[in-house]
Amino acid sequence: IQKLCDRVASSTLLDDRRDAVRALKSLSKKYRLEVGIQAMEHLIHVLQTDRSDSEIIGYALDTLYNVISNDLEEEEQEENLPKQVDDLGSQFTEIFIKQQENVTLLLTLVEEFDFHVRWPGVKLLTSLLKQQGPQVQQIILVSPMGVSRLMDLLADSREVIRNDGVLLLQQLTKSNAAIQKIVAFENAFERLLDIITEEGNSDGGIVVEDCLLLLQNLLKNNNSNQNFFKEGSYIQRMKPWFEVGDDNCGWSAQKVTNLHLMLQLVRVLVSPTNPPGATSSCQKAMFHCGLLQQLCTILMATGVPADILTETINTVSEVIRGCQMNQDYFASVNAPSNPPRPAIVVLLMSMVNERQPFVLRCAVLYCFQCFLYKNQKGQGEIVSTLLPSTIDATGNSVSAGQLLCGGLFSTDSLSNWCAAVALAHALQENATLKEQLLRVQLATSIGNPPVSLLQQCTNILSQGSKVQTRVGLLMLLCTWLSNCSIAVTHFLHNPANVPFLTGQTAENLGEEEQLVQGLCALLLGISIYYNDNSLENYRKEKLKQLIEKRIGRENFIEKLGFISKHELYSRAAQKPQPSFSSPDHMMFDHEFTKLVKELEGVISKAIYKSSEEDKKEEEVKKTLEQHDNIVTHYKKVIREQDQELEELKQRINTLTSQNEQLQATVTQQVSQIQQHKDQYNLLKVQLGKDTQHHNSHSDTFQMNGIQTEEVSKLKEELEEWKNKHELLQGQLREKDSVIEKLKSSQLDIGTTEQSSQTSKSGGLEHNNELQKELEVLRSQIQLQSAEISKLQMENQKLQVMNITADPVLGDSSARAANNSELEGRLEQEIKELKSEVKALSEEKESLKQHLDSSSSTVAILQDEKSKLQQEVAESKKEQDDLLVLLADQDQKLSALKIKLKDLGVPVEDEDDIESGDQGDEDEDGDEEEQD
C-alpha cells in the first residue's frame, strides 16, 4: 500500500498513476483501515489534479467509497465488527470533510456526464451523508448551486444514476427544512411523481418505495412544502395509486410496502399535528379529486391484506377528521353486502368483535372518533339510534347504537373499553345529547323492569369487573356528567352511587387500583362542581362535608392527582390516534386527557371553597350568563351589520365598475379628440409650409429694376381683388337662386289665387242659387198664407150663414164635422210650413258663415302677395347694385392687369381662364354622364 501510494504521488506518467490507483481500489475493501490512513490524501490530490482523465478519477472515487462506506459484504462481517465499522466510516468521513473544498470538488465531479465519474461520485456523496449528515448538509447548503446540481440526477436517462440520485436526496433531505424547501422548489414533486407513474404506481419495484420515502422526507412536518404540494395540484395525481381491482389476492410484498408508504404520505398531508387550515384545505382537495372515495373503496373491498386495511382505516380517519363535508360523505358510504349496511356499522362490528386483530380494532375506534370529531350532526345520528322512538322494532338491521351498547356490556373488557370511549365521543361537547341519552332504557332480563343506561353503567362499576372495563365506564360517566347538571342530578338520585365513589376513593389499594381511585375522585368532583343543588341531600356543601369526613380533602386531591401522574395518561395525551403496544395498556383516550386537564384544577378549588364563595360564584355565573346573552345579542347585531356591509360593498363594487367603464369611455373620447387636434395641427403646419414655400418662390422674382416688395404688394392686392370678385360672384349666385325661388313661389301664389278665386266664385254661385230658392219658398209661403186667409174668410162666412139659417134647412151635425176636419188640415199645413221656414233660415246662417271665412282667406292671400312683390322688388334692386359693383371691379381688374403688364409680370387673360374653366366644366359634365 505504501509503495502504491508513493507511485501515485511521484509517477510522472498518467498510466502509472492510474495503475497504482486501480491497485489501491482492489485492496481497499480488504485493507480498509490501511488504505484509508495512507492513501486518502493522495487520492484527494488525484481528484484535484487529474480531472482530465475520467478513468483514474473513477478509480479514486471508488477507492474512497470503499474506505468511507460501511456497506461491506456479508461474508466479511463478523459479530463484533459493526461498532468498529461504524467508527471507521465516521472517522474517515470527518477527515474527508475537514477541508470543505473536498465536498465542493465532489459536487463538481457529480456534474460530469461520464458514467465512470458520476456514478461513483453519487455513491461517495451518499455515504458521506450517511456518516456525517448534518455537517455535509451544511457544506452543500452553503456551496453555490449545491442542491440544484444534485437535483439534475433525477433527470439522468441512466436508471442506475437516477435511482442512486433518489437515495442521495433521501439522505440529503433528512431533518433539514431548508434543503427540503430548495429541493421541493427545484420541481422535485413533479419529477418524483413522474418516476412513480413510469414505474407502475403501487405495482412498481423498490424505486417507487425510494421515491415515496423521499416524498415523505420533503413533506413531513414541513408546512411550506405541504402547501406547495397542495397548490401544485399534486394531490390529484395520488388518486391512481389507490385503484384496486375486484381480485385482491396474492399481492407481492413490494406492493404491500408501496401501498403502505402511499397511505402514510396521504396521512402526512392531513395529520392532526399540522396547522388546522392546511389540513382542512388538503381534506377538501382529497374529497373533490375523488381520493377519499377511492380509499373508501379499498376499505370495503374484499381480499385486502390486514395491515393495508388497518392503515387505510387510519388514513380515512384523518382525511375525515373535523371536516364536515368528508364526514357526511363517509356516513353515506355503504358496504357491498345484502342488504347494504352503512360502513360505520360494519366497522363497529369489527371493533366489538374480540376475534379481530387488536391493531384493526384500534384503527376502527380511531375512525369512529374522527367521524364524530366536531360533528354534531353525526353525534346526533349515533345517539338517535339508541333512543326509544327510533329503534327498529323488527330487529332486522343492527344500528350503531345497539352495537355500542352490546360492546359496553359484553364479557370482553377490550370491547367494553372501546364501546365506552366511542359513546363518550358521541357526547363530546354536546349538552343536548347528554340530556337525551338519559332517556335510553335497557331491558336487562325478562320479567324485570327496564333500567336506564346511566344506572346500568353504575351497576357494572359496583360489580367489581376488570380494571379496563371500569376505567372505560368511569371515562364515559365523567364525559357524560361534565357540563350537564341534569345528568349530575340523575346520577345523584341513585342513593348507592355516592357511597360507592367515596368508598372507592377512601380505600388504600394497590397500584393497579390507583387509576380507578383517581377516576372515582374525578367523578365525585364533577358531581360537586356541576351540581345545581336541586337535591336536598346531595347539595354541594353536604357532598364537601362528606368528602371531608370520609376521605379528607388532602387525600382526595392526592387521589385525583393519580390520573395525570400515570404513565399511560401521558402517552395518550401526545396524539389523537390510540396507539398501544398491547391491549393491557389501553386505558386512556386522548380527548379524555384534555377533559382531565380542564377539570383537575377547577375541582381542587371547588373542594376548598366555602358556601359563601359558592354563592358568590353562582352570582358571578349568573352575571356571566347575562353578559353572554348581551354578547350574543350584539353578535347578532354585528352579523346583521356585516350582511348590510357586504350588500353595500357589492353596490360599491358595481358602481366602481360602472365608473371605471365610464372613465374608460371618457379617456377614449379624450384620446380621439387629441388625435383630431393633432391631425388639425399637422394640416395647419403643412398649409403654413406650403404658403411659406410659395412666398419664398415669389420673392425670387425681380425684373426691370423694380423691387420685389412692390411686386408682392401688387400681387397681394390682385389676390384681394380676386377674392372680392369671387365673393361677389358667390353673392350673385345666391341672389339668383333667391330670385328663382321667388319666381317659383310667385307662380305658386298665382295658382293659389286662381284656386281661391274659383272657390270664391263657386261659393258666390252657390249663394245665388240658395237665394233664388229662398225667393221661391217665400213666394210659395205668401201664396199659401193668401189661401189660408181666403179659407178663414170663407169659414167665417159659413159660420154666419149657419147662425142665421133656419135649423130645418140642413143637418147641423154634418156641417160641424166638416168644419173640424178643415181646421185640423189647416193647422197641420201651418206647422209644416213653419218647420220649412226654420230649416231655410238655419241654412242661410251657415252660408253667411262660409262666406265670411272665404273672404278672410282671400284677405290673407292678398297680404302675402303684396309681401312677395316687395321682396321681388328688393331683390331686383340688389341685383342691379351687384351688377354695378361687378362692372366697377372689372374696370379695376383690367386697370391692375395693365399695370402688371407694364411692370412685366405675366398675366393670364380672362378669356383664357374662362375657356379653361369651361373645359373643366365640360370634363366634369362628361364624367357625370358616364357615371
Side-chain angles (χ1 to χ4, degrees):
I1 289 166
Q2 186 61 49
K3 283 180 181 178
L4 290 169
C5 289
D6 291 341
R7 278 175 65 191
V8 170
S10 59
S11 292
T12 52
L13 290 172
L14 180 63
D15 290 341
D16 291 344
R17 292 203 301 279
R18 189 191 301 125
D19 292 339
V21 174
R22 190 192 292 118
L24 282 169
K25 178 194 165 185
S26 61
L27 291 167
S28 61
K29 283 186 181 179
K30 196 170 183 179
Y31 303 103
R32 184 180 169 193
L33 180 64
E34 291 79 3
V35 173
I37 290 166
Q38 296 179 40
M40 185 174 280
E41 195 178 332
H42 301 299
L43 292 168
I44 290 166
H45 185 69
V46 166
L47 295 177
Q48 289 168 344
T49 54
D50 293 325
R51 289 277 301 278
S52 57
D53 186 52
S54 60
E55 203 174 342
I56 193 169
I57 295 290
Y59 292 144
L61 289 168
D62 280 330
T63 311
L64 285 167
Y65 172 73
N66 291 338
V67 168
I68 288 167
S69 174
N70 289 329
D71 303 333
L72 297 174
E73 297 295 325
E74 285 183 9
E75 61 265 16
E76 291 179 11
Q77 286 190 357
E78 295 174 9
E79 289 180 4
N80 60 346
L81 198 61
K83 282 186 182 179
Q84 187 186 347
V85 164
D86 288 347
D87 292 343
L88 268 180
S90 60
Q91 283 169 12
F92 284 132
T93 303
E94 271 185 41
I95 294 163
F96 185 83
I97 65 170
K98 196 173 278 182
Q99 300 293 324
Q100 289 191 9
E101 298 82 23
N102 295 343
V103 180
T104 312
L105 176 65
L106 195 53
L107 286 170
T108 54
L109 291 171
V110 167
E111 273 190 296
E112 294 286 334
F113 186 73
D114 193 325
F115 182 81
H116 296 292
V117 176
R118 196 172 211 182
W119 189 40
V122 169
K123 289 197 294 181
L124 177 58
L125 196 53
T126 309
S127 187
L128 290 171
L129 283 160
K130 279 181 183 175
Q131 301 297 337
Q132 297 286 340
Q135 292 92 322
V136 180
Q137 281 173 344
Q138 203 56 39
I139 295 164
I140 292 169
L141 198 58
V142 296
S143 66
M145 298 291 287
V147 179
S148 300
R149 291 183 205 174
L150 299 177
M151 281 301 298
D152 293 337
L153 297 171
L154 294 180
D156 202 303
S157 56
R158 295 159 295 194
E159 284 193 12
V160 178
I161 292 175
R162 184 199 69 186
N163 298 345
D164 279 351
V166 172
L167 294 171
L168 168 59
L169 288 167
Q170 267 184 39
Q171 297 299 326
L172 182 66
T173 54
K174 269 185 182 176
S175 309
N176 192 311
I179 292 174
Q180 286 166 5
K181 284 179 187 176
I182 296 166
V183 170
F185 284 97
E186 287 283 346
N187 210 17
F189 294 136
E190 187 77 38
R191 291 183 187 180
L192 291 169
L193 291 169
D194 286 342
I195 294 167
I196 290 167
T197 309
E198 285 167 23
E199 295 290 325
N201 293 330
S202 60
D203 294 317
I206 197 164
V207 179
V208 172
E209 184 185 337
D210 292 336
C211 289
L212 290 166
L213 287 166
L214 176 53
L215 281 169
Q216 273 194 28
N217 279 1
L218 294 173
L219 292 170
K220 202 166 189 178
N221 302 322
N222 193 318
N223 300 328
S224 169
N225 282 4
Q226 286 172 9
N227 191 44
F228 181 62
F229 191 83
K230 180 184 71 70
E231 294 295 332
S233 301
Y234 296 119
I235 289 173
Q236 286 83 328
R237 292 187 62 179
M238 295 167 81
K239 189 195 168 189
W241 297 354
F242 304 104
E243 287 173 359
V244 294
D246 297 326
D247 184 25
N248 297 310
C249 300
W251 283 13
S252 65
Q254 187 61 55
K255 180 169 183 171
V256 171
T257 306
N258 290 347
L259 255 175
H260 210 276
L261 288 168
M262 286 168 175
L263 291 164
Q264 282 180 353
L265 197 63
V266 174
R267 289 184 69 185
V268 163
L269 293 168
V270 291
S271 172
T273 55
N274 293 346
T279 302
S280 177
S281 57
C282 286
Q283 286 172 332
K284 285 172 186 171
M286 285 173 186
F287 175 76
H288 289 304
C289 76
L291 181 59
L292 174 60
Q293 291 84 326
Q294 206 69 49
L295 291 170
C296 288
T297 309
I298 297 174
L299 203 66
M300 294 293 118
T302 52
V304 177
D307 53 345
I308 292 295
L309 184 62
T310 305
E311 191 60 28
T312 306
I313 293 168
N314 286 326
T315 308
V316 169
S317 307
E318 290 181 355
V319 173
I320 67 171
R321 187 177 190 270
C323 180
Q324 189 66 54
M325 180 171 59
N326 294 5
Q327 287 167 338
D328 290 344
Y329 170 75
F330 185 67
S332 68
V333 175
N334 283 325
S337 58
N338 194 15
R341 284 176 176 165
I344 296 166
V345 171
V346 175
L347 289 170
L348 286 175
M349 288 167 84
S350 303
M351 187 183 79
V352 296
N353 185 351
E354 56 188 298
R355 289 196 295 273
Q356 292 291 346
F358 171 66
V359 183
L360 181 68
R361 293 172 79 181
C362 288
V364 173
L365 176 63
Y366 184 46
C367 187
F368 191 71
Q369 289 174 352
C370 290
F371 169 67
L372 297 175
Y373 183 71
K374 291 184 179 176
N375 181 12
Q376 291 198 344
K377 184 184 170 186
Q379 287 176 325
E381 285 169 2
I382 297 297
V383 171
S384 67
T385 58
L386 282 164
L387 298 175
S389 57
T390 54
I391 292 170
D392 186 8
T394 56
N396 292 334
S397 60
V398 181
S399 68
Q402 288 169 332
L403 284 168
L404 289 174
C405 277
L408 198 61
F409 308 122
S410 74
T411 52
D412 177 33
S413 61
L414 192 61
S415 295
N416 300 155
W417 190 90
C418 289
V421 169
L423 203 53
H425 275 264
L427 303 173
Q428 203 82 42
E429 296 176 2
N430 201 324
T432 52
L433 293 181
K434 287 175 183 178
E435 290 175 21
Q436 282 185 10
L437 202 66
L438 296 169
R439 290 164 49 206
V440 177
Q441 300 288 317
L442 303 172
T444 50
S445 59
I446 300 163
N448 291 336
V451 180
S452 70
L453 179 62
L454 186 68
Q455 185 59 50
Q456 187 63 18
C457 289
T458 53
N459 290 345
I460 294 166
L461 265 179
S462 59
Q463 285 167 11
S465 50
K466 287 185 181 178
V467 172
Q468 195 172 36
T469 304
R470 282 183 286 160
V471 167
L473 288 168
L474 284 164
M475 283 198 296
L476 170 61
L477 288 169
C478 288
T479 308
W480 194 347
L481 269 60
S482 65
N483 211 11
C484 183
S485 52
I486 298 167
V488 171
T489 307
H490 275 256
F491 179 75
L492 294 174
H493 202 269
N494 185 353
N497 288 341
V498 174
F500 168 74
L501 291 176
T502 50
Q504 285 284 311
T505 313
E507 285 182 27
N508 290 318
L509 303 168
E511 284 185 14
E512 287 183 1
E513 292 293 327
Q514 280 184 352
L515 195 55
V516 177
Q517 282 186 312
L519 289 167
C520 286
L522 180 67
L523 188 57
L524 197 56
I526 289 167
S527 302
I528 294 167
Y529 186 70
Y530 292 107
N531 193 340
D532 60 357
N533 295 327
S534 57
L535 294 173
E536 187 59 38
N537 293 332
Y538 295 105
R539 292 173 68 83
K540 281 186 179 182
E541 197 57 40
K542 287 189 176 181
L543 286 171
K544 284 181 194 176
Q545 288 170 6
L546 188 69
I547 288 168
E548 181 65 41
K549 286 177 184 177
R550 295 278 180 89
I551 306 163
R553 287 179 185 175
E554 289 78 11
N555 193 18
F556 178 84
I557 299 299
E558 187 188 343
K559 297 284 171 77
L560 190 63
F562 283 164
I563 304 169
S564 53
K565 288 173 185 172
H566 205 281
E567 184 190 350
L568 297 174
Y569 172 90
S570 54
R571 274 192 208 169
Q574 287 170 3
K575 57 178 181 176
Q577 186 186 353
S579 55
F580 306 103
S581 54
S582 70
D584 298 334
H585 292 156
M586 207 169 190
M587 288 291 174
F588 284 110
D589 169 53
H590 178 75
E591 289 298 322
F592 182 73
T593 60
K594 290 182 183 176
L595 185 72
V596 172
K597 276 182 191 173
E598 186 186 325
L599 293 176
E600 193 175 7
V602 174
I603 289 166
S604 300
K605 285 177 185 175
I607 294 297
Y608 283 104
K609 274 179 188 172
S610 62
S611 57
E612 289 175 4
E613 286 176 340
D614 283 336
K615 283 176 186 176
K616 283 179 185 177
E617 196 174 317
E618 280 175 11
E619 285 173 7
V620 169
K621 276 184 181 178
K622 282 177 184 176
T623 52
L624 281 171
E625 281 175 8
Q626 287 173 355
H627 283 300
D628 288 340
N629 292 333
I630 293 162
V631 168
T632 49
H633 170 68
Y634 280 118
K635 276 182 180 177
K636 192 180 178 182
V637 170
I638 290 162
R639 211 172 287 118
E640 287 170 2
Q641 287 175 349
D642 284 341
Q643 287 176 354
E644 286 175 12
L645 271 171
E646 283 299 318
E647 288 170 6
L648 289 167
K649 279 178 184 176
Q650 286 174 359
R651 281 178 65 189
I652 288 163
N653 289 332
T654 52
L655 289 167
T656 48
S657 63
Q658 286 175 3
N659 187 23
E660 284 170 4
Q661 286 174 358
L662 290 167
Q663 281 181 347
T665 52
V666 166
T667 48
Q668 279 181 351
Q669 287 172 356
V670 167
S671 63
Q672 285 175 359
I673 290 162
Q674 192 61 41
Q675 284 175 358
H676 289 312
K677 279 184 180 176
D678 294 343
Q679 288 173 0
Y680 174 70
N681 290 331
L682 277 167
L683 288 166
K684 270 178 81 175
V685 170
Q686 284 175 358
L687 282 166
K689 282 182 180 176
D690 290 344
T691 52
Q692 282 176 7
H693 179 70
H694 187 71
N695 291 336
S696 64
H697 186 69
S698 62
D699 287 347
T700 55
F701 287 105
Q702 191 172 3
M703 292 175 183
N704 299 325
I706 297 163
Q707 289 183 358
T708 55
E709 287 178 7
E710 288 178 9
V711 174
S712 63
K713 279 179 184 177
L714 287 164
K715 279 191 175 181
E716 281 172 7
E717 283 178 16
L718 192 105
E719 284 294 322
E720 283 175 10
W721 285 110
K722 276 185 181 178
N723 291 333
K724 283 179 182 178
H725 181 69
E726 284 170 3
L727 277 167
L728 289 164
Q729 277 184 339
Q731 286 174 358
L732 254 177
R733 284 191 210 98
E734 285 174 7
K735 296 293 177 185
D736 286 338
S737 64
V738 168
I739 290 158
E740 287 294 322
K741 283 177 184 175
L742 287 165
K743 280 178 183 176
S744 60
S745 64
Q746 220 168 4
L747 287 168
D748 294 339
I749 291 157
T751 53
T752 52
E753 279 175 359
Q754 283 173 4
S755 63
S756 65
Q757 281 170 3
T758 51
S759 65
K760 190 178 178 184
S761 62
L764 289 164
E765 285 171 5
H766 185 59
N767 199 3
N768 291 329
E769 286 174 5
L770 288 166
Q771 282 176 349
K772 283 176 184 177
E773 284 178 7
L774 266 170
E775 291 296 324
V776 172
L777 287 164
R778 279 173 185 166
S779 60
Q780 284 177 359
I781 290 159
Q782 284 171 358
L783 287 167
Q784 284 173 355
S785 62
E787 283 178 9
I788 290 159
S789 61
K790 280 179 184 177
L791 288 163
Q792 282 175 347
M793 290 290 285
E794 285 176 5
N795 190 15
Q796 284 172 1
K797 284 176 182 178
L798 285 165
Q799 282 174 355
V800 170
M801 283 168 72
N802 283 334
I803 295 160
T804 56
D806 193 29
V808 180
L809 288 175
D811 192 358
S812 62
S813 64
R815 284 173 185 172
N818 286 330
N819 285 331
S820 63
E821 280 180 11
L822 280 166
E823 281 177 3
R825 278 167 65 192
L826 281 167
E827 282 176 2
Q828 197 171 358
E829 283 179 1
I830 287 160
K831 280 179 183 176
E832 286 175 359
L833 285 166
K834 279 181 179 177
S835 64
E836 282 180 5
V837 168
K838 194 178 180 183
L840 285 165
S841 62
E842 284 175 357
E843 202 167 346
K844 187 182 175 183
E845 285 296 320
S846 67
L847 283 167
K848 273 184 182 178
Q849 286 175 359
H850 187 66
L851 274 168
D852 292 339
S853 65
S854 61
S855 62
S856 65
T857 51
V858 166
I860 290 159
L861 287 165
Q862 280 176 348
D863 289 340
E864 283 182 359
K865 185 183 175 184
S866 62
K867 281 179 185 175
L868 287 165
Q869 282 173 348
Q870 281 177 4
E871 282 179 3
V872 168
E874 283 173 4
S875 63
K876 277 182 180 177
K877 195 177 180 183
E878 283 178 3
Q879 199 173 8
D880 292 337
D881 292 342
L882 285 166
L883 285 166
V884 170
L885 279 167
L886 275 169
D888 291 342
Q889 279 179 358
D890 285 336
Q891 285 175 4
K892 284 180 182 177
L893 277 168
S894 58
L896 285 164
K897 280 179 185 176
I898 292 160
K899 274 186 183 180
L900 284 166
K901 278 179 183 177
D902 293 341
L903 289 165
V905 178
V907 180
E908 290 182 351
D909 289 332
E910 200 171 311
D911 297 334
D912 297 336
I913 293 161
E914 283 176 2
S915 64
D917 292 341
Q918 280 176 357
D920 293 340
E921 284 171 8
D922 293 339
E923 283 174 11
D924 294 339
D926 293 339
E927 283 174 8
E928 283 171 7
E929 283 171 11
Q930 284 172 4
D931 293 338

